[in-house]
Every structure is written in structure tokens, then in C-alpha cells.
Amino acid sequence: MTDTPRQTSHPVPDAERTWWKESVVYQIYPRSFADSDGDGIGDIPGIIDRLDHVADLGVDVIWLNPVYESPQRDNGYDISDYRSIHHEYGTMADWEELLAQVHERDMRLVMDLVVNHTSVDHEWFQRSRRGDPEYEDYYIWREARSDGPPNNWESFFGGSAWAYDEVRDAYYLHLYDESQPDLNWRNPAVREDIFETMRWWLEKGIDGFRMDVINLLSKAPGLPDGDPDADWVGSEQFVDGPWMLDYLEAMDEQVLSDYDILTVGEMPQLSVEKAREYAGEDGPLDMAFHFQHTKLDYDGDERWSVGDWDLPELKEITRRWHDGLADEGWNALYWENHDQPRVVSRYGDPEEYRRESATLLGTFMLTRSGTPYVYQGQELGMTNAQWDDAESLADVDARRTTEELLESGEYDSFEEVADVVGYRSRDNARTPMQWDDSDHAGFTDGEPWLPVNANYEQVNVASAREGDSVTAYYRSLIDLRTEYDAFVYGSYDDLHPDHERLAAYTQTLEHPDGRVSERMLSVLNFSDTTATVDVPTTLDGADLLLSNYDRDAISPTRDHEPYEARVYQLE
Ligand code: GLC
């Protein structure tokens, strides 16, 4: 290992260095992180109590899912007041304390910005439905079309994207749950109100925004019908709509550019080309989340299905995004979040090789350029949970889908849909954080709002403090990024695009004259059998920086154990 300090050894000019490129982000889902008052629901004082766990991982930034006042139909993505804290989570004073404590530990705090829609309980919607002249145009209202909804668009959660409101005697658009009406971004007053709210939070000292479904703000004029055969009917009329870039540029000009912050857009159906527009050199945002690698285990295009996935496809997606954003833009790297099932249960082996596959997947995410986002519990190798009956599901999306599947007449009972719904439900990511082996995994003294995963006695933070845990390995991965610029700023080269079981890639950092400054090689066996790698590069003089098997020196063997990951520094 070299011990030259980063500032002198690297060829990355200061002008290209940015703290958010060098950061690892940790995502906290407040409802499920830690409960301080025994009501079974996570809260802000609970997060403060557990901040040291997060700081000890070595992460730099926390992204907090929505903590604003909300009826919690969609766990806070249905906001009824943008400027107050949800009462079950604490008070504004608690939140201010959290911010101070995060900063005290040299970390930063990124808040969730949910401005495609509000809750129906938001005052704006209440006034809009009553026809208050100031607010009547704040949402997207339309008359019925031959007694039905104004067009054929669907909600992402299923069913029509329109709901009839008796008070106003008209339909309103909701791309998500019917309790989440879409704001009308064509109305300048809406934009101004949102920008004002953003400034209000930034003035409190936050360090950025994660922007919820932000590329859906602009809807095609006239709201034309969508292709009835599309996976999400209507999406071509509201994904990356006509004024989308204008809205974000205005947001940047009027708000974002005044602050040194991290901005990341969550963008359904995002392409590399669009990512370059939104988050390229002059783009309004810093980076964006795309979804392509989260669909590998669909059967075809259908979300509510489970299919086989293949490694060459994952590598193809990875390469395309690295190459596409190499000279323009920046990648956001993630496996999990509050909407995705646990990655070990998807692309790893949660039974026999939980530790090995969790660490291998962590290696893939944390040894490439981009900003990595670790979701709470991912650093423990948490797995999907068991869902035995429809009532045990809490997620509005999974519940609705279950209802629809059962109503379709194709299935007779929950058992028949349990495999798919249980695998795909967002509840898998939302089971309480596992702190120790006491009741409810130390998450609460009361009854948790969602049951704890049955494996909490083995998989928890306390037990991960000992031995070669997934958590300790994540810590090492994060340390590697801090120590070596190549993992952050290097260029990515896939050495084995077509291999079915192995991934082998380098991250290379060059001096301006082309000489190699740092070159890292990662070799990962994504399978449960021993695999021999033919790496087209010499390992002579290489240093083994990290492995999830007990190897303390460079091993001459090119055999890789099941789910083995090795990270080398090449000469
Ligand atoms: C995003 C959020 C998800 C939410 C949806 C509607 O995809 O991540 O949790 O349900 O937007 O706000």
C-alpha cells in the first residue's frame, strides 16, 4: 500500500475535485431506523442516538428520506406541509439538533425534495379543490371525458392516474397514489413557492437535495393519451417532458447555484443522453439515479415478475453509464434504497453465501467512479423478509398490486402471488434496522410498525462489531476510496464483458501526460462455484488491497472461491 497523502500523489487538478464526488452517501429511512419513544415508529431522536454507527462507517453524507408533515399514505412521500416535521418523527428542534450533530461529526445532510406532487391534505390542494382563485391552478384538473377519466394515463402504483374529486366536480392527475395529486409546474406561482421552500431549507444549513421523480414535472401539452401497450401507460407524455430542462435550469439559477450542495435527481426511465443534459458539465444537477440495473431480475419488462438475471447484461449497463458520463456528467452508484428489495436476495445468495455475496456486491458498488449510496442495513447484508399473508404488507404499492392481481381472477389466493409480491415489495427494504439480538432487534421497545426480519439474531449491528462482518468490509471499502483517487476519479475498463460469472475491471488514473498514476483491478466471482479467472493483465508486483476471503497476500492462484472479491493495486 502506498502511504503518500492524497493531495500530493494524485494527478487530479484541484479544479476538478468536488466533495460530493469524493463522498459516500448513507441513506436513512426514518420510519425504520431507530425508535426512541416506544411507539414502534422510527424518529429523529432515534437517529441522533445511532449517528455514531453511521459516522463509524466512514461515510460523508446522510440522505434522509422525507420527514415532513404527512398523512403517511406513502410513508412521507405525500407531504402536507413542506416546512414542518412529521409529528411522529419529532419536532423542528429535534431536526435542528440532528443537523448540528451530523455536522459535528463532519458529515453532511441531504434532504428529500418531493415536488412532483403533494398530499391531498396539503393546504394548497384543499384550497385548489374549493376553487380558491389563488390556488385553483396549482394542480392538474380536467373535466371527465365521456364520463371517464380525461385520458388513459396510469398511476405508477396501478389503475388510472386520475381521481374524481366531488368538491371541485373534476378529475385531478396523480402519477402515484390518489392521495398524491401532481402539482401544475406550468403555473409560475407553483414554481416560485417551491423555490422559496427550497431556499428556506438551504438557509437552515442543509447540504443538498435528493429530488424525487424529478423528471416527471413537465407533462405534454394537451395531456394526450399514451401508448396503451406501454409498461407505464402515458409515460412518454410525462417522462422528460417539454419544459423539464427549463424548470431545472430555473431552479438552478434561482436557488441551487447560490449554495455549495449535492443534488441528485431520481429519474424514472432515464437514458444516458438525458443524464448528460440534466447532470452534465453545464447541467442543473450534479447527478441522477437511473434504474436500468434494478430491472435485470424482471421477467421481460414487467415489474411484478421475477426472472433470471445475467451478469453480462449488468456489465453492459455499467459500461454504458461509465463511458457515457466519462467526459460529461457523474454517476450515482447504488444497489438498494427504500424502494428496492435487498440486493443480496436479488443478485447474491442470502442463504449459503450471505456474507460473501453481500461483500462482493458492495465491492462492485464501491470500487468504481461515481458517488456511491449505501442504504441502511445494506452494510449488514440485510435480506428480504417473509410475507405470509396480504395483511402483513404495509406498502401502498404492494398492497394495491396484490389487490389487483387477486381481482384479475387469474389467481385464487395470496399464496399464488406471494412469491412475486413478497420478492418485489418495497416492504423488504423497510423492515426495521437490526441493531442487536434483543426483542425487535433493538429497534423499538414497543411494537414495530413493520415486523423485524426473522434473521435479526444473526444479522445485526452489535454482532457485526466482531470478526469479519459485512459491516467491517464496507468500512474497508469506504476507506479505500478515501485513500486512493483511482476509485473515485479513475476511468473504468471492463476486462471481461462477456464472462457469465466473473467481473474483472480496472480503474485507472493517469497523469496529464498519459503516465499511469494509479491502477486498480477488481476481480469478482458472481457465482456460487469456484471460478478460474484469466485476467489479461499481469499480477506481478500487484498489491492485494482487499478481499472478502482470508487472503493476506497476493495469491498466485487465479481460482476464485464462491462470491470471492479481490481488489488489487497494479504496479
Ligand atoms: C419515488 C420514491 C417512492 C415514492 C414515489 C412517489 O419513487 O422513492 O418511495 O413512492 O417516488 O413519491
Side-chain angles (χ1 to χ4, degrees):
M1 292 207 190
T2 56
D3 52 10
T4 334
R6 185 172 189 154
Q7 289 78 347
T8 54
S9 68
H10 65 76
V12 182
D14 280 349
E16 279 173 32
R17 299 189 153 270
T18 316
W19 63 264
W20 48 260
K21 290 186 175 170
E22 295 174 8
S23 290
V24 175
V25 183
Y26 186 86
Q27 182 190 348
I28 292 183
Y29 195 66
R31 204 172 183 79
S32 307
F33 196 62
D35 172 26
S36 72
D37 60 4
D39 66 356
I41 296 170
D43 49 43
I44 293 174
I47 299 174
I48 297 175
D49 290 344
R50 300 289 190 172
L51 266 189
D52 285 335
H53 167 70
V54 182
D56 287 347
L57 277 174
V59 304
D60 310 278
V61 177
I62 291 174
W63 151 27
L64 195 61
N65 284 99
V67 289
Y68 317 100
E69 194 54 271
S70 157
Q72 302 284 322
R73 276 277 300 185
D74 190 17
N75 291 1
Y77 282 93
D78 47 331
I79 298 172
S80 54
D81 182 353
Y82 283 114
R83 299 191 194 193
S84 66
I85 298 297
H86 177 58
H87 58 279
E88 290 168 317
Y89 292 169
T91 62
M92 188 58 85
D94 293 329
W95 180 85
E96 282 163 0
E97 177 64 15
L98 172 66
L99 180 67
Q101 296 269 346
V102 168
H103 284 166
E104 204 163 286
R105 287 169 180 78
D106 281 333
M107 295 187 291
R108 291 174 155 99
L109 187 66
V110 164
M111 297 287 281
D112 221 303
L113 181 79
V114 188
V115 294
N116 176 68
H117 44 264
T118 68
S119 160
V120 283
D121 289 1
H122 197 291
E123 195 196 333
W124 296 343
F125 186 79
Q126 290 304 320
R127 293 172 75 162
S128 191
R129 76 195 304 201
R130 290 197 301 267
D132 176 331
E134 214 182 318
Y135 292 94
E136 62 181 350
D137 207 18
Y138 261 52
Y139 294 84
I140 301 174
W141 294 98
R142 290 292 182 277
E143 302 299 313
R145 182 176 65 177
S146 46
D147 265 0
N151 68 24
N152 70 352
W153 297 2
E154 282 174 0
S155 151
F156 183 75
F157 296 154
S160 170
W162 295 93
Y164 174 72
D165 181 57
E166 280 180 0
V167 176
R168 175 128 167 188
D169 184 24
Y171 282 84
Y172 63 86
L173 179 71
H174 61 90
L175 295 183
Y176 289 85
D177 186 62
E178 66 173 69
S179 69
Q180 296 167 300
D182 280 49
L183 283 163
N184 176 18
W185 272 73
R186 291 196 72 179
N187 180 349
V190 168
R191 302 201 290 273
E192 189 38 53
D193 257 331
I194 296 294
F195 294 168
E196 190 53 45
T197 306
M198 293 173 72
R199 280 191 289 267
W200 189 82
W201 280 101
L202 287 161
E203 287 302 315
K204 282 185 168 289
I206 66 167
D207 304 292
F209 289 113
R210 173 269 186 188
M211 304 183 178
D212 192 60
V213 296
I214 201 71
N215 62 334
L216 307 188
L217 301 185
S218 171
K219 281 79 177 171
L223 313 181
D225 276 339
D227 170 3
D229 297 325
D231 297 322
W232 186 4
V233 176
S235 55
E236 76 276 21
Q237 312 290 359
F238 53 74
V239 170
D240 305 319
W243 296 282
M244 195 51 246
L245 196 58
D246 299 338
Y247 296 157
L248 289 180
E249 279 171 350
M251 181 189 284
D252 185 29
E253 207 179 286
Q254 294 176 44
V255 186
L256 307 175
S257 58
D258 289 335
Y259 301 87
D260 178 22
I261 52 174
L262 178 162
T263 55
V264 52
E266 184 211 24
M267 302 203 175
Q269 302 187 11
L270 183 68
S271 65
V272 173
E273 293 67 37
K274 280 286 166 188
R276 287 164 67 95
E277 275 179 37
Y278 294 131
E281 227 50 61
D282 303 316
L285 304 185
D286 295 332
M287 59 191 128
F289 294 124
H290 72 80
F291 288 86
Q292 294 177 0
H293 62 303
T294 69
K295 300 181 177 179
L296 293 172
D297 57 353
Y298 290 11
D299 187 9
D301 294 326
E302 169 55 37
R303 182 161 63 106
W304 293 98
S305 68
V306 183
D308 289 333
W309 72 281
D310 88 359
L311 185 59
E313 206 181 330
L314 171 65
K315 290 187 279 191
E316 188 275 318
I317 293 167
T318 306
R319 234 170 25 247
R320 186 151 39 77
W321 281 84
H322 273 285
D323 294 353
L325 303 187
D327 60 337
E328 171 96 32
W330 189 251
N331 274 287
L333 311 171
Y334 74 100
W335 280 126
E336 296 187 0
N337 58 40
H338 62 291
D339 295 330
Q340 298 293 333
R342 293 291 183 175
V343 68
V344 187
S345 300
R346 308 176 76 174
Y347 303 148
D349 179 341
E351 307 294 333
E352 209 174 330
Y353 294 107
R354 191 188 61 82
R355 188 191 68 81
E356 292 79 1
S357 59
T359 47
L360 169 123
L361 291 160
T363 311
F364 189 67
M365 188 178 109
L366 283 144
T367 52
R368 291 181 286 122
S369 55
T371 300
Y373 291 74
V374 179
Y375 178 66
Q376 68 183 46
Q378 184 183 333
E379 80 282 19
L380 298 175
M382 278 179 67
T383 63
N384 278 358
Q386 270 304 112
W387 309 101
D388 296 329
D389 46 60
E391 289 70 47
S392 64
L393 298 166
D395 171 26
V396 55
D397 187 17
R399 289 184 79 102
R400 223 209 118 90
T401 301
T402 305
E403 260 165 43
E404 265 181 22
L405 291 173
L406 293 179
E407 275 165 19
S408 74
E410 280 177 56
Y411 308 92
D412 294 326
S413 66
F414 181 74
E415 283 78 72
E416 291 177 36
V417 298
D419 281 352
V420 170
V421 175
Y423 177 95
R424 194 67 69 199
S425 170
R426 304 190 297 178
D427 288 320
N428 287 302
R430 302 175 180 185
T431 60
M433 181 70 177
Q434 294 163 204
W435 295 104
D436 56 40
D437 62 5
S438 68
D439 283 355
H440 307 307
F443 163 73
T444 180
D445 293 337
E447 267 307 304
W449 71 276
L450 195 63
V452 168
N453 189 316
N455 64 13
Y456 74 93
E457 288 179 17
Q458 293 78 48
V459 183
N460 61 62
V461 171
S463 67
R465 288 201 190 99
E466 281 133 48
D468 52 355
S469 62
V470 179
T471 311
Y473 188 87
Y474 263 78
R475 166 88 227 198
S476 305
L477 282 169
I478 293 168
D479 285 349
L480 279 188
R481 295 183 76 84
T482 314
E483 190 161 356
Y484 299 103
D485 275 333
F487 294 118
V488 176
Y489 293 104
S491 65
Y492 169 85
D493 278 302
D494 184 348
L495 308 181
H496 268 311
D498 301 321
H499 204 295
E500 298 282 342
R501 289 183 295 155
L502 282 156
Y505 52 90
T506 51
Q507 280 281 139
T508 309
L509 197 63
E510 292 181 350
H511 291 282
D513 63 8
R515 274 177 312 121
V516 170
S517 149
E518 277 175 9
R519 189 146 188 258
M520 309 305 188
L521 167 70
S522 301
V523 186
L524 314 182
N525 177 7
F526 272 82
S527 75
D528 59 5
T529 49
T530 304
T532 302
V533 205
D534 174 24
V535 185
T537 176
T538 173
L539 292 181
D540 290 348
D543 249 339
L544 183 68
L545 298 177
L546 188 64
S547 166
N548 58 356
Y549 275 73
D550 189 15
R551 302 189 186 279
D552 47 19
I554 164 129
S555 99
T557 166
R558 294 192 172 206
D559 286 348
H560 279 61
E561 300 294 323
Y563 293 103
E564 180 168 356
R566 295 185 208 169
V567 184
Y568 301 98
Q569 177 167 27
L570 300 178
E571 244 209 333

